[in-house]
Amino acid sequence: MRVVVADDSVLLREGLQLILADAGHGVVAAVGDGPSLVGAVAEHAPDLSIVDVRMPPTHTDEGLRAAVEVRRCTPGARILVLSQYVEVSYADELLATGDGGVGYLLKDRVSELGGFLDAVATVADGGTVLDPQVVAQLMRRRRDPLEQLTPREREVLAAMAEGLSNTAIAARLHVTEGGVEKHTQRIFAKLDLHGDDDRQHRRVKAVLAFLR
């Protein structure tokens, strides 16, 4: 198997290369940042890329973003993410196509080489390997956001869906307009509708979420 390794730690890169070589695999490129990963995959067309999440320059999610870019440019590219952290935003995007050939393991769970090499083989063959913590975080992320609303917030949202103004909602629910405004702001926050959209646009998005 031909493998690209992407990790900004020289020690980890070298260690992975030794482990893979001992198992009969060849590392065709070992890189330390996201753009180099994208370039190495384009150049070598490996059977698998093993990618760390946090790489230069900000050491936040560059590796995952690069993995998403690899899958966008090369559909079906096999990616195994190894990280100390669960970063759900780009992990969700990486898994969104459902094509397989993707893995996300936490480094502290790769405690024995047999399990790691099994994961390598599974992902290279087009399977999916996910750490239990990753699964748990993704399930929480995909939970129906309306479940987070209180009964009163659901009443306010239902009234919004009828096209009522804050004044009309306040009269119906026997609360102040200020109280309706506070409920509305909490609804926007729980539905992840932030201030980059204008207020009316957020009301429309909230109503659409309710109707779905």
Side-chain angles (χ1 to χ4, degrees), residues 40-124:
V41 171
E43 178 180 354
H44 298 285
D47 302 302
L48 176 72
S49 297
I50 299 176
V51 184
D52 186 24
V53 168
R54 300 191 173 187
M55 291 195 289
T58 68
H59 296 278
T60 54
D61 55 13
E62 284 84 357
L64 264 180
R65 286 192 278 122
V68 170
E69 177 68 10
V70 166
R71 294 273 283 192
R72 186 186 67 80
C73 296
T74 309
R78 310 311 197 201
I79 303 286
L80 175 59
V81 174
L82 286 181
S83 179
Q84 293 177 324
Y85 314 93
V86 180
E87 174 54 61
V88 294
S89 56
Y90 287 99
D92 207 13
E93 189 172 348
L94 190 63
L95 296 164
T97 62
D99 293 336
V102 176
Y104 195 135
L105 297 178
L106 298 186
K107 288 179 178 178
D108 60 4
R109 290 189 184 273
V110 187
S111 56
E112 58 94 19
L113 295 184
F116 168 66
L117 292 173
D118 286 346
V120 165
T122 297
V123 174

Side-chain angles (χ1 to χ4, degrees), residues 184-185 187-203 205:
T184 302
Q185 291 302 321
I187 290 167
F188 290 160
K190 290 179 179 180
L191 298 183
D192 204 28
L193 303 174
H194 299 297
D196 51 343
D197 292 325
D198 63 61
R199 181 180 178 79
Q200 188 59 35
H201 194 196
R202 283 187 289 166
R203 287 179 77 96
K205 284 185 173 181

Side-chain angles (χ1 to χ4, degrees), residues 1 10 12 24 39 85 107 111 145 173 181:
M1 183 189 308
V10 175
L12 286 176
Y85 314 93
K107 288 179 178 178
S111 56
L173 300 180
E181 175 65 21

